[in-house]
Amino acid sequence: MAGLAGPLLIVVSVLIVLHGFAFSGLITNEHPDILPQWLPTYCFLGRSLASGHIPAWNPYVMGGVPFAADPQSGWGYLPAMLLFSILPCTTAIRWFIVVQPILAGLGVYAFSRSEGLSRASATAGGVALALVMSSSYAAISLPVAGSLAWTALLLAAASRCMHSGGWSGRVGWSIVTALAWGQLATAHLSNGLVMGTAFLAIYLVARGWADLRAGRLRPIHLPLLGGLLLSALPLVNLALLLPRVGYLPRSTLGLGYARLQELAAKLAGQRPVPFGPGVASPGTWPLGLALYFGVLAVILVLGWWWGREHRTVAIAFALAGAVFYVLSLESIAVALGPSLGTSTLGQFYLHEPYRFRYGTLLAIALLVPFGTEAWTKARSPRDRALVLAPGIAAWMVLMTTLDLSGTEVGLIAAGAGLAAAMLLLGVWRPALVVLMPAVIAAELTVGGLMVQADPSRFSGGGPERPGRSQAVPLLAAPTVPAAAYAEPDGIARTIEQEDRGRYATLYFGRSYSSYGYLGYRAPTFWPLLANQRSVLLNLQDVAGYNPTELRRFWTFVRAADPKSIRYNVAFLYRASSLTFDLLQVRWVIGRPDQAPPGAAVARFDVGSARWVLPPGSEGRVPLIPARREGSYELYEVEDAPPRASVVPAWSVVSSPSAALAAVTAQGFDPSRHVVLEGSPSLPSQAGAGEPGGEGTALYRPTGAHSAEVDVTTPEAAVVLVRDSYDEDWHATVDGRSVEIIPGDYVDQAIPVPAGRHTIELTYDDPSIGQGLVGSGVALAALAVLAVVLRRRERMRGA
């Protein structure tokens, strides 16, 4: 039972601090990605898996977009897949937020125990990391929380691998290490993976060096073990890596941040701004960590140097924390900008250097157990005083440096009293050191609850500002009713009942933000159905929010509707016949008192009993009011295009850029002509002139990844399907495989001969299946190797 006390304290402490998320049914609006990105993304993931399908394609945003191949889709991420498959989405997102700090704390505990530290020391470190996350913005910055959690668990698995006495155990734990590394990759295939992999590498080097010096490991074992892990990490995770790598070349992420910025400015008709560092940190930011870790943990953390048995590993973590601190600094990013800005990897670092401070935070949490162990193992009061001296001195300096509020002073004074009492008790009765984790937990839990009650009373309670010594923003209590956010309103029900044509939110009027609707997350804006709420409601929005988009769609939205727009958002500002046709917009959501730019709103004429457009409406998209919901109006686009249509006339161009230029040229009519990027397999005289007759195409979705189109055409023609073109879409005409050609740059075009035909469309990403097979083979091979080695070890022992 004593072995469960530490993990239980970690779990209970997090549940107390995050009780608002766990038990109240509330979610937060504090982070801009929770409602627009993670809730709809993971909800679609869970719904698909629960129905027995791998979600390869998401039809609900941006004209359709690859899903499982998206690095942020959650495909392969076990916490997201499990929670969102078995729980309602709005319950799953709340527990997802709660689970990740718990995993992080348990990871530090497991790592510390594997390294030979006492339960009290291991619990102190686990509690520190879990509650620092639970009290700060890190808990709701879900990729950050995931990367911290899985780095800790990754180190725990790697430690067991290094401490295994035989090769069967090393092979077995290498499998677990590889699986943890894969979870880290799915949590944050960006800074999180870089930092976590760096922690793994530096730990393996430090532990290997220490074991070599102590004679616990032979020199030949190090390269063998390194080769085993280097092979296992990618091979075991082929199911996660192959789809992402395959998607990269045709996604926006493959262009790099500098190229995206340059291209976006060009398409908006603006002068490109030189690429430079994004958000970075001032040099004083670690000072604010004292307000997160509390008095006792900060005093103990610097005692790691006195623990001789574990000093090598502790030094490695301290160096890692220092390196990540340097990388997070604005001065370093500015200095390195000119030399790194020309490379893709350099742009990756410069995009948001501040993220590397989470590596420093993790390093400090990993050092807490080593400092605690050094104090508990000290043989005399003098030695214990030496262990505490650096931490006490550092704390006194911090107290004279930080600009603290009255609430913080009171909290720190209480924490200092608890710390002093605990340290004195430990000197008097060494057995009482087992209470140290409880003291740390009590201090941080009270602080976390006070922060959530009123973050404004704390100097760290907001986004980082110049001149302030802050680490990460503090976490406010959740206030948004999660279930209400996923409930359809009148506008959503109207769109669903009438048909599932796409809608566009056009609310900006005369001005807009380059962030799209990310600032429109409060309940008063929910009827706009913006920020990918379409995914929750099974509707189809022409807009979306994702740093990884299909490059064609990303480019078309900026070229056909020029505007300043961030790299990771997609939305329309103006109503135009071109964008509405090619993106198949049937519905518009906007203001009842102001027509969207480029649109003309009809009024109902009682005398004629019909809708009448106002004078001067020529050339504007006609909109007919359909439903009022609060301060917003749902409009229906008059004569909206169908999802698929027969186009008998076409022209062939030689490149995507030529297609985009032809489509966006003045006078192009997508209803009468289609621009193809390849010659269709049809009679050579077809499509050369004006249409010779009317054809029909009836589109029927048969699932998220498939559809059927019944076509009747008097002559050879092209069927234009208004879904985003991607190379993994496949088509058959009457059972015969045909090529899907990019049509009008952004859509799909399928050539058909004259007559009646049935087109079957399916989305199939072969890299998903190949990755699953590859991972299965790698896991089976390693498992067999472990079993064979285990049998040999038993035979030798006998």
Side-chain angles (χ1 to χ4, degrees), residues 138-150:
I140 56 175
S141 182
L142 299 188
V144 168
S147 62
L148 291 173
W150 286 102

Side-chain angles (χ1 to χ4, degrees), residues 107-128:
V108 171
Y109 178 88
F111 169 76
S112 303
R113 292 292 291 150
S114 178
E115 288 295 298
L117 276 65
S118 67
R119 290 191 178 96
S121 299
T123 305
V127 164

Side-chain angles (χ1 to χ4, degrees), residues 491-512:
I491 288 179
R493 285 192 295 269
T494 299
I495 295 174
E496 182 181 21
Q497 291 167 4
E498 293 295 326
D499 80 359
R500 299 201 175 196
R502 293 194 185 98
Y503 69 86
T505 300
L506 299 178
Y507 175 74
F508 298 114
R510 297 182 181 276
S511 63
Y512 66 93

Side-chain angles (χ1 to χ4, degrees), residues 37-49 53-62 64-77 80-81 84 240 243-244 247 250 532 535 545-546 548 550 704-705 726 728-729 763 765 768:
Q37 173 72 12
W38 303 116
L39 175 58
T41 299
Y42 289 159
C43 187
F44 179 69
L45 171 72
R47 284 200 316 249
S48 301
L49 294 174
H53 300 291
I54 295 176
W57 180 263
N58 179 2
Y60 299 116
V61 292
M62 295 181 284
V65 63
F67 186 80
D70 184 343
Q72 297 191 122
S73 67
W75 166 245
Y77 192 35
M81 292 171 66
F84 284 84
L240 311 175
R244 272 88 175 182
Y247 181 36
R250 60 188 194 274
Q532 304 194 124
V535 181
Y545 172 50
N546 197 322
T548 310
L550 279 171
H705 312 141
D726 185 65
D728 286 330
W729 274 103
Y763 188 82
D765 182 350
I768 296 176

Side-chain angles (χ1 to χ4, degrees), residues 395-413:
W395 184 257
M396 294 176 66
V397 172
L398 286 173
M399 292 305 99
T400 60
T401 304
L402 294 174
D403 179 20
L404 301 174
S405 68
T407 301
E408 289 168 331
V409 171
L411 184 61
I412 288 170

